[in-house]
Amino acid sequence: MSAPIYDAGSDDDGEAGVALATKPKTRRPRMYKVMILNDDFTPMEFVVMVLERFFGMNHAQAFELMLTVHKKGLAVVGVYSFEIAETKVTQVMQLAREHQHPLQCTMEKE
């Protein structure tokens, strides 16, 4: 936090100056897009399950987004702060490895 700035005023009558508080500028955190990439080996059902489990989608939303990934090669599945995006990517990649699927999940600055 910034130190207050004192305004001594233009009078030389011996009165104390007035403290002017300065507000620190706060910025919104940079956001990151989390994306799932298509591959020819990961079952579509697995992708739907990942979208439901880690991204809070219902079955219909997850199925629709899975088809977007399948047709377009990738899709943004959410936008989060850095720490949350990083956690979601790690969770998806870990589950894919455990099930021996080559599914890729990445993140990039919005």
Side-chain angles (χ1 to χ4, degrees), residues 49-84:
M49 184 268 297
V50 163
L51 293 171
E52 291 172 348
R53 181 187 284 186
F54 297 117
F55 300 96
M57 297 180 189
N58 65 38
H59 188 74
Q61 292 169 322
F63 189 81
E64 191 67 35
L65 200 52
M66 175 275 299
L67 287 178
T68 301
V69 172
H70 182 69
K71 292 176 184 175
K72 295 191 176 191
L74 67 87
V76 174
V77 295
V79 179
Y80 307 96
S81 65
F82 179 81
E83 291 81 10
I84 294 172

Side-chain angles (χ1 to χ4, degrees), residues 2-41:
S2 302
I5 299 172
Y6 293 98
D7 181 7
S10 58
D11 300 344
D12 282 336
D13 59 6
E15 291 185 23
V18 177
L20 303 175
T22 58
K23 286 190 174 183
K25 302 264 184 192
T26 56
R27 291 187 298 143
R28 291 183 155 242
R30 175 168 255 142
M31 301 301 279
Y32 290 80
K33 298 183 288 189
V34 175
M35 298 170 291
I36 289 187
L37 286 68
N38 187 44
D39 65 72
D40 294 332
F41 303 102

